[in-house]
């Protein structure tokens, strides 16, 4: 339908797809019921689904353009697809166990409802998460798109980051990986007070050259409490310009991990550098607290950062200071196998080096 569609009665979509293109409204008595296998598609115009209205059923719902303001009850059990336009979920919505696909446009989930998809694919457009907590029970994929808002998104069933474009995490959003995250392409951009969190149960695998987690504005953070694995291949590099707080394990398995944003390693935080690989601290200030450790057969480089080492330091390759400062503070136990000081400052107040 290309004309505005105002509904104060009942619309039953029993099979096929009903596409509305002209905008309209659903009053407090208006309802849409979408049967299993059928689809309600809002493709252009402005739709105001008022408080008291309802969109329900076991079928599918899609927004391809225009603006949809959902202020009523929304409980559709099929696949939700957002490919264009803007969808604002403002009322009492329940999204539980569904597949949610966002490939374009904007889907905003505001306070008042619950979103807990079984599958979440964010491959374009914008996911606006302001409902508090968004739990994804199954797999989540993210590429070439933006996640913004003030909520915590828990990726409970695995996370795949891929593609050639940028993935932006904005606002005060926290994206929390609790399972296995595999990052194979695209840059990760952090803004504002956003946090990318790898939970104690999480494993985060970086597997491609020139992987970059970039600080774009504000004071975002990468917080690792689980297992962070870097395997980008000999001669290749992964970069983090956001602060890295590590209370878990960072394992540099191949290539170089270059950190330029500063950060902290707590008493439980460890860095393991495999033979032939390098941990390079190139900017910022790093506090490696008592109980933390930097170990392995690989190399360590301070090339612009200020590093305050208060824990265990036992690197079997070459430790190089070319610029910046490396301080071995009282209480630290440094036992580097080989040491090169070509610039910068070495502070040794631990007693024995």
């Amino acid at each position: 339908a290309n004309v505005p569609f105002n509904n104060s009665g009942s619309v039953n979509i029993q099979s096929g797809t009903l596409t509305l293109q002209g905008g309209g409204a659903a009053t407090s008595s208006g309802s849409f019921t979408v049967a299993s296998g059928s689809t309600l598609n809002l493709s252009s115009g402005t739709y105001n689904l008022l408080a008291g209205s309802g969109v329900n059923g076991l079928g599918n719902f899609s927004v391809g353009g225009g603006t949809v303001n959902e202020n009523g009850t929304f409980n559709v059990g099929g696949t939700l697809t957002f490919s264009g336009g803007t969808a604002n979920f403002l009322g009492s919505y329940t999204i539980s166990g569904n597949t949610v696909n966002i490939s374009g446009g904007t889907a905003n989930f505001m306070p008042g409802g619950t979103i807990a998809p079984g599958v979440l694919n964010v491959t374009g457009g914008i996911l606006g998460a302001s409902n508090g907590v968004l739990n994804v029970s199954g797999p989540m994929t993210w590429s070439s798109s933006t996640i913004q808002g003030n909520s915590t998104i828990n990726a409970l069933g695995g996370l795949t980051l891929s593609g050639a474009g940028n993935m932006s995490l904005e606002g005060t959003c926290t994206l929390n990986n609790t399972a296995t995250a595999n990052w194979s392409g695209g840059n990760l951009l952090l803004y504002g007070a956003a946090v990318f969190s790898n939970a104690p149960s999480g494993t985060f695998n970086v597997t491609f050259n020139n992987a970059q987690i970039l600080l774009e504005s504000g004071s975002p953070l990468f917080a690792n409490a689980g297992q962070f694995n870097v395997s980008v291949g000999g001669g290749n590099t992964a970069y983090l310009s956001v602060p890295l707080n590590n209370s878990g394990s960072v394992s540099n398995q191949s290539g170089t991990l270059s950190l330029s944003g500063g950060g902290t390693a707590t008493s439980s935080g460890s860095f393991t550098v495999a033979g032939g690989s390098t941990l390079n601290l190139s900017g910022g200030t790093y506090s490696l607290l008592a109980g933390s450790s930097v170990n392995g057969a690989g190399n360590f480089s301070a090339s612009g950062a200020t590093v305050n080492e208060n824990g265990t330091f036992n690197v079997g390759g070459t430790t190089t200071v070319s610029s910046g400062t490396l301080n071995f503070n009282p209480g630290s136990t440094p036992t580097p196998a080989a040491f090169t000081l070509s610039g910068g400052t070495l502070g040794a107040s631990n007693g024995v080096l």
Side-chain angles (χ1 to χ4, degrees):
N2 293 311
V3 297
F5 185 85
N6 289 346
N7 178 30
S8 59
S10 300
V11 174
N12 293 317
I13 307 169
Q14 299 172 347
S15 65
T17 297
L18 173 61
T19 296
L20 303 180
Q21 299 174 317
T27 69
S28 60
S29 60
S31 67
F32 294 86
T33 301
V34 191
S36 178
S38 63
T39 300
L40 173 59
N41 174 38
L42 307 182
S43 63
S44 61
T46 297
Y47 294 87
N48 292 309
L49 308 178
L50 303 181
S53 67
V55 180
N56 299 287
L58 298 176
N60 309 307
F61 177 83
S62 65
V63 177
T67 299
V68 179
N69 296 310
E70 171 56 81
N71 294 278
T73 299
F74 182 94
N75 189 351
V76 174
T79 297
L80 309 185
T81 301
F82 304 93
S83 58
T86 299
N88 297 312
F89 288 83
L90 306 163
S92 178
Y93 57 89
T94 300
I95 300 168
S96 180
N98 309 56
T99 294
V100 176
N101 298 318
I102 303 172
S103 60
T106 300
N108 290 318
F109 299 94
M110 307 303 289
T114 299
I115 175 168
V119 177
L120 177 61
N121 300 310
V122 187
T123 58
I126 298 172
L127 166 61
S130 299
N131 65 311
V133 177
L134 192 160
N135 290 319
V136 186
S137 59
M140 175 178 174
T141 62
W142 188 21
S143 63
S144 304
S145 55
T146 297
I147 297 175
Q148 63 184 23
N150 60 12
S151 297
T152 296
I153 301 170
N154 292 312
L156 305 175
L159 175 62
T160 299
L161 301 93
S162 62
N166 294 328
M167 295 160 284
S168 298
L169 188 63
E170 302 179 358
T172 57
C173 259
T174 295
L175 178 56
N176 183 35
N177 172 56
T178 69
T180 298
N182 294 312
W183 182 21
S184 61
N187 294 324
L188 181 57
L189 312 183
L190 272 60
Y191 296 79
V195 176
F196 193 110
S197 172
N198 190 42
S201 60
T203 298
F204 187 83
N205 297 314
V206 185
T207 59
F208 69 106
N209 182 35
N210 204 33
Q212 299 185 65
I213 303 177
L214 301 176
L215 191 159
E216 294 295 300
S217 68
S219 54
L221 177 68
F222 192 105
N224 177 57
Q227 181 68 45
F228 185 129
N229 299 320
V230 176
S231 183
V232 297
N236 296 329
T237 303
Y239 300 89
L240 276 77
S241 67
V242 298
L244 170 65
N245 285 355
N246 180 32
S247 59
S249 300
V250 174
S251 178
N252 192 15
Q253 299 171 351
S254 66
T256 296
L257 173 60
S258 182
L259 308 178
S260 61
T264 300
T266 70
S267 61
S268 61
S270 68
F271 293 86
T272 302
V273 190
S277 64
T278 299
L279 174 60
N280 176 37
L281 306 186
S282 59
T285 298
Y286 295 86
S287 296
L288 309 179
L289 303 182
S292 68
S293 63
V294 181
N295 297 292
N299 307 305
F300 178 89
S301 173
S303 61
T306 296
V307 183
N308 295 308
E309 174 60 80
N310 297 279
T312 299
F313 186 94
N314 185 1
V315 175
T318 300
T319 296
T320 302
V321 179
S322 58
S323 62
T325 301
L326 174 58
N327 292 317
F328 291 113
N329 292 330
S332 64
T333 55
T335 54
F339 199 96
T340 299
L341 179 62
S342 59
T345 301
L346 172 64
S349 54
N350 63 305
V352 178
L353 174 61

